[in-house]
Amino acid sequence: MTTDSIEISVSAAGFDTWNKHILLSPTDIAFDWRITLLRSSPTTLPDAHVIASPTWKRGDTTFFRVSAYTDPSDRKLKDIITKLPGFELNEDGRLLYKRKAVQKITIDGEEIFADKLQLMLNSFPVHVLEQIQALENQTSNPLLKGLHNEQQVFVNLALKKEKLKAAFGDGEIGIGTQGRYAISPVLFALYGKLKGGLIGNYNSLGEGFDWKMQEEMKQPVQRAAEPWMLQPSTISVINNVAARRYIRNKLFDTRLQLNWAAGKLIKLKTEINFVADKQSQESSLVSSLLNANTFFERTESNELINKPRAFLVNQEIIAKPDSLSQWLWLISTSGNFSKNQRSSLYNYSMAASDTAFQNMNNRWGSAQLHLQYTKRIHSTKAKRWWISTNTQLNQQTGIGVSNVYQQIFQLPAKYHQLVQQMDVWRLHANTGMEWLHKPRKRLFTYGIQLQYEAINTQPFRYFTQPTQPIDSFISNTGSFKNRFAYTNLSIHTSSSFLLQGWPITFKSNVGVQLNQSNYPVKANCIKPALLAALESRKQVGRNWTVTMSINAEATPLKVHQQIQSVYPVSLQAFKSYANTKLLQISNELQAGVSYGKGNTMHQVYGIINRHWNGNAISSRYVQFVQIAIDSFNRVPMDGLHVGYNVNQNYLRHNLQWTASIGSYQSANQYSILGDILSGKLQSLWGSIILIKSWQKKYYVTTQLQGSHFWNIPPAKLEKGITQKVLNISAKLKNSMVWNKWLKSEMEMNWLLNNIRNPNSNKLLLLDFALLYTVPEKPFNFSIKAENLLNARRLQTVWQYPDAQSFFSIPLVPLNLMLSARIEL
């Protein structure tokens, strides 16, 4: 007889399995059930690795986790932000995100030095950051959010939680050979009712007060008077080469901002900036310069001392009587007391050599008052009103000494010291009102604005003997009084709507401008000022963004371009303009496509522009003094700019790469013996950067860049100029984390400039550094050696339509630096 059986199995997670085999007999079907305890048996599962994306998006904000992009050598914001997908620095050093200029940088939403982008990039420490956030479609006035389609881009720096309730920052002090030193305290505090920041920079490392930081020390309206002043000789700046390698300086830079509240309704921002620097540089140039109908060669050696000195004080008061209205007062004052000295030796192939000494002193002052009222009438309606005024008194004295002045200006032999005084007084006033409305998902803005500007200029030129300054000869051609004024009344509109699913913004500005002048004769004229622009930006799917803009503009010339008499622009250059009554008409088309998904960003962009009124250059030299005429005409000039960028981050492989390629072409015009001839400036550039790390211990950055320039003048001017210039540079940087306390850094730069040219230059730069971090303390110490191979000179090229200069500057020799740093 067959015996049946059953199998009983009991299992549970974390316990051994219990099995029981039972035979079933027909004569015995009783079972002896006993309670059995299962024995514990924990099972060790294999390791699971979760890799969170370092980039994600929520609404108009893109978040970047800082720790995913940093390496041990990153200390300041500029070291990391261009590694983030979508960010780049353009050729002027401006920070862009998706090809749009970043307008401000905030710290956890607080505006401290928010509009000083260069200052923040160079000074803000990376170690306190949790995230960097890119905010798109922003407006500068929070009460107008949702009604004003400014489409601005802001960057917000999100701090680590422990930094929100304590002061944070960093500081470094160092001393080295070659007379070098550095002291750079940076301190911020965002807790409590008083929030503020202090940034100091006192160094002789060549990292001085450059033109980008100088621009941030001025309000836009304050820059309008600068074209009337003598332009000083400036320190030469070379792209892709750190300024510390070829500039000697002594910088004193102090910035302070305090944000505080006076009760519940009033907030105040106080900002104080003071900068003084002493920069020095030697240079040698071999130049091809346009002289009438041909280029001629000139060599020169220069010694330049530049002493920029400026201050800026801003006081902003924001009063909110209620949640729907706001008053804004801005009081600003600034000054510029810079000095500039230059000694030059000029040599010509067909003439005797010249020497020249130049000295220039500035005494510029500016005061501005701005008042604005904003009222949010309804969730779909708002209005604002403003009035602002700015007054400037700019005085300048330039002194030039050269034996050539007697020949140039046909003077008696004893007068060879030129004294050029410039007094410019400027008044600018602006008032207007604007209404904003949002009917049925449309945005509509319209407003009216009245502007007035008056400029009194008084250049005065005379010649003296350096040993007897009382004996002078007055030049009537350079001494006159002039008054320019313009009044502009305009109406502007802006409308945003959907067209076949595409968001469209149409902007227009229609106005008339009355120009007044009393030199050489009193004259008044009325001219139209027109602007029309169409913009669109659409998110296609989850990852694609398409942008496009078209604009057309017809405006009068800028006020300083309406001078038809010879006007000094420097101590060795004079200029005048012809055909100044022409309206300037231009069109521009911009288009771009970007693809962003996870850790990848691709961007393609293009810009096409046409100026229907050209500007023909005519240049003539008398020894080292240039006299130029810009002749406006009706011959069109076209420009083209295209490019592609990509940024990808492979987290699993600790690899990131960035690549870009682009091309630029612009048209130039020359006035040669009464004929208008056309030429071109073209460039092609590309770069690729690879960043790789192994186990967070060894980091390598490699970079390869190349650029090719074409200077194509008209056929009549081809002789005497090098039409093709090729530059290539390579960079290798590695960091090694030996243990918790010791790190090393090595950087090598290889430059090939002016390839296939008599002025070619090959250069290899090598730096090495050791860093020691005190265990469990926020201190580290470093020793750094720069230019270990003791390279001597750097050569590169400047390209302009009427000039080409191959210049050479000495490098700072081998130097050592000992420094101590603290991170708070």
Side-chain angles (χ1 to χ4, degrees), residues 783-822:
I783 178 171
K784 185 173 185 179
E786 289 190 333
N787 196 3
L788 281 169
L789 302 180
N790 210 23
R792 296 295 184 181
R793 300 189 74 87
L794 172 65
Q795 296 181 4
T796 186
V797 64
W798 285 335
Q799 297 275 14
Y800 301 101
D802 60 341
Q804 181 184 68
S805 297
F806 293 93
F807 72 95
S808 170
I809 52 178
L811 296 171
V812 177
L814 168 65
N815 61 94
L816 302 176
M817 188 80 175
L818 293 171
S819 62
R821 189 167 184 266
I822 182 172

Side-chain angles (χ1 to χ4, degrees), residues 9-278:
S9 179
V10 180
S11 63
F15 294 89
D16 286 341
T17 301
W18 180 81
N19 297 300
K20 181 68 174 178
H21 185 76
I22 301 175
L23 297 176
L24 299 180
S25 172
T27 59
D28 186 7
I29 57 174
F31 301 102
D32 182 15
W33 294 99
R34 298 181 181 180
I35 298 176
T36 300
L37 298 178
L38 299 181
R39 289 182 296 179
S40 175
S41 179
T43 302
T44 302
L45 298 176
D47 293 340
H49 298 277
V50 179
I51 301 177
S53 174
T55 305
W56 65 97
K57 189 170 184 178
R58 189 180 305 142
D60 289 330
T61 304
T62 304
F63 301 81
F64 302 92
R65 182 161 46 86
V66 171
S67 60
Y69 296 93
T70 55
D71 65 57
S73 63
D74 295 334
R75 293 177 179 83
K76 300 297 184 180
L77 184 58
K78 65 179 180 181
D79 298 328
I80 182 177
I81 198 163
T82 53
K83 298 179 184 179
L84 309 183
F87 283 98
E88 61 179 305
L89 292 173
N90 69 0
E91 57 274 10
D92 293 329
R94 293 206 64 180
L95 180 64
L96 308 180
Y97 180 69
K98 294 183 179 179
R99 299 298 301 171
K100 288 184 70 71
V102 174
Q103 300 298 321
K104 64 174 65 174
I105 298 177
T106 60
I107 308 171
D108 254 38
E110 192 71 27
E111 294 189 5
I112 300 179
F113 304 119
D115 61 338
K116 306 293 188 296
L117 270 65
Q118 291 297 323
L119 179 67
M120 292 292 287
L121 289 172
N122 293 332
S123 304
F124 196 87
V126 170
H127 74 276
V128 304
L129 293 178
E130 183 71 27
Q131 300 169 2
I132 294 177
Q133 302 164 1
L135 290 77
E136 301 175 84
N137 302 320
Q138 300 299 301
T139 180
S140 56
N141 191 332
L143 279 180
L144 302 181
K145 189 172 180 62
L147 295 179
H148 208 326
N149 194 15
E150 291 182 310
Q151 296 185 350
Q152 294 185 353
V153 176
F154 299 162
V155 169
N156 183 54
L157 308 177
L159 303 175
K160 297 177 180 178
K161 291 182 179 180
E162 64 269 19
K163 303 299 179 181
L164 292 173
K165 296 183 179 181
F168 62 90
D170 65 1
E172 186 170 1
I173 182 170
I175 189 168
T177 60
Q178 300 292 331
R180 300 198 139 193
Y181 62 87
I183 304 173
S184 55
V186 177
L187 187 65
F188 290 90
L190 300 185
Y191 66 97
K193 295 183 179 180
L194 181 64
K195 302 175 174 62
L198 172 65
I199 297 178
N201 191 0
Y202 319 101
N203 76 73
S204 61
L205 303 178
E207 299 170 350
F209 191 41
D210 61 18
W211 69 268
K212 292 174 287 188
M213 299 182 71
Q214 293 181 41
E215 289 296 294
E216 291 184 346
M217 290 273 285
K218 310 166 189 172
Q219 298 289 346
V221 70
Q222 296 171 353
R223 303 185 189 119
E226 293 185 359
W228 300 91
M229 310 305 297
L230 298 175
Q231 303 304 306
S233 301
T234 57
I235 295 291
S236 301
V237 178
I238 304 171
N239 292 334
N240 304 321
V241 180
R244 69 179 189 274
R245 298 193 181 277
Y246 57 88
I247 295 178
R248 295 180 181 271
N249 78 315
K250 292 183 179 180
L251 175 68
F252 183 94
D253 186 351
T254 303
R255 316 294 185 97
L256 174 67
Q257 181 173 331
L258 298 175
N259 297 355
W260 49 291
K264 296 182 179 180
L265 304 179
I266 300 178
K267 294 183 178 180
L268 300 98
K269 297 180 183 178
T270 303
E271 181 183 345
I272 302 173
N273 303 265
F274 177 78
V275 183
D277 200 0
K278 180 181 179 181

Side-chain angles (χ1 to χ4, degrees), residues 504-785:
I504 303 293
T505 298
F506 176 75
K507 299 179 180 180
S508 66
N509 190 311
V510 180
V512 292
Q513 182 168 307
L514 171 63
N515 292 332
Q516 299 171 291
S517 172
N518 66 353
Y519 185 88
V521 295
K522 188 173 183 180
N524 298 326
C525 66
I526 298 178
K527 295 184 179 181
L530 308 172
L531 170 68
L534 193 68
E535 301 175 356
S536 180
R537 182 179 184 275
K538 181 177 174 60
Q539 188 84 20
V540 181
R542 297 183 59 185
N543 305 317
W544 293 88
T545 302
V546 179
T547 60
M548 182 183 67
S549 68
I550 305 172
N551 70 61
E553 188 174 7
T555 59
L557 289 169
K558 296 179 180 179
V559 180
H560 73 274
Q561 292 178 317
Q562 299 178 26
I563 303 176
Q564 298 188 43
S565 57
V566 177
Y567 195 85
V569 294
S570 73
L571 287 173
Q572 60 184 44
F574 300 84
K575 198 167 193 177
S576 67
Y577 298 90
N579 302 328
T580 59
K581 294 183 179 182
L582 290 177
L583 277 178
Q584 298 303 292
I585 303 174
S586 63
N587 304 106
E588 185 174 85
L589 168 64
Q590 296 189 29
V593 177
S594 64
Y595 172 85
K597 182 178 180 182
N599 309 319
T600 301
M601 174 69 71
H602 298 265
Q603 298 179 88
V604 179
Y605 60 90
I607 302 173
I608 302 173
N609 58 60
R610 161 160 281 206
H611 295 274
W612 294 92
N613 301 92
N615 178 15
I617 303 169
S618 176
S619 178
R620 178 172 167 266
Y621 280 85
V622 181
Q623 302 296 95
F624 62 85
V625 174
Q626 180 192 30
I627 301 173
I629 300 176
D630 283 4
S631 301
F632 299 100
N633 55 73
R634 297 191 182 278
V635 180
M637 298 171 61
D638 298 325
L640 175 66
H641 184 189
V642 295
Y644 167 72
N645 300 329
V646 59
N647 186 310
Q648 286 190 301
N649 192 330
Y650 299 95
L651 290 177
R652 292 181 179 275
H653 305 287
N654 295 317
L655 174 66
Q656 180 184 358
W657 73 285
T658 302
S660 65
I661 187 171
S663 178
Y664 179 80
Q665 175 180 300
S666 64
N668 308 306
Q669 291 182 353
Y670 304 83
S671 179
I672 306 297
L673 301 177
D675 296 328
I676 296 177
L677 307 178
S678 297
K680 292 181 181 179
L681 279 178
Q682 296 178 334
S683 64
L684 175 66
W685 71 90
S687 71
I688 184 169
I689 302 173
L690 296 176
I691 303 174
K692 170 70 176 174
S693 67
W694 287 265
Q695 299 180 351
K696 297 291 183 180
K697 290 186 177 181
Y698 185 59
Y699 299 79
V700 174
T701 299
T702 59
Q703 180 176 352
L704 179 65
Q705 290 182 305
S707 61
H708 201 305
F709 296 94
W710 291 266
N711 191 341
I712 308 174
K716 292 183 179 181
L717 299 177
E718 287 183 354
K719 294 183 179 180
I721 194 169
T722 302
Q723 297 190 29
K724 299 178 182 180
V725 178
L726 174 63
N727 298 323
I728 297 176
S729 65
K731 176 181 177 180
L732 174 64
K733 179 181 178 182
N734 64 59
S735 302
M736 182 69 187
V737 181
W738 298 96
N739 51 47
K740 293 182 179 180
W741 311 285
L742 187 63
K743 303 173 186 176
S744 64
E745 297 176 2
M746 188 274 289
E747 181 176 332
M748 182 172 61
N749 290 269
W750 186 44
L751 295 95
L752 296 174
N753 290 337
N754 314 328
I755 298 175
R756 297 180 180 177
N757 187 282
N759 299 286
S760 63
N761 176 229
K762 298 179 181 179
L763 191 65
L764 182 62
L765 301 171
L766 181 64
D767 306 329
F768 183 78
L770 280 176
L771 297 90
Y772 174 76
T773 301
V774 179
E776 300 181 358
K777 299 291 183 180
F779 301 100
N780 63 67
F781 301 89
S782 67
I783 178 171
K784 185 173 185 179

Side-chain angles (χ1 to χ4, degrees), residues 318-337:
I318 300 176
K320 293 186 176 182
D322 52 61
S323 60
L324 298 178
S325 60
Q326 173 182 285
W327 287 91
L328 169 65
W329 291 269
L330 174 63
I331 304 170
S332 177
T333 181
S334 64
N336 182 324
F337 304 96

Side-chain angles (χ1 to χ4, degrees), residues 354-413:
D354 299 331
T355 59
F357 172 78
Q358 300 176 15
N359 186 14
M360 192 177 298
N361 296 327
N362 294 335
R363 300 175 302 281
W364 299 4
S366 172
Q368 180 177 0
L369 175 63
H370 177 79
L371 173 62
Q372 178 177 289
Y373 173 72
T374 306
K375 176 68 175 179
R376 186 83 179 220
I377 303 171
H378 187 268
S379 61
T380 61
K381 291 183 179 181
K383 65 179 180 180
R384 68 184 184 115
W385 163 87
W386 69 91
I387 183 171
S388 65
T389 180
N390 173 261
T391 182
Q392 298 181 59
L393 178 59
N394 296 348
Q395 296 179 318
Q396 193 175 51
T397 301
I399 299 175
V401 179
S402 176
N403 292 324
V404 180
Y405 288 138
Q406 303 148 12
Q407 174 187 348
I408 296 173
F409 297 99
Q410 299 180 357
L411 305 173

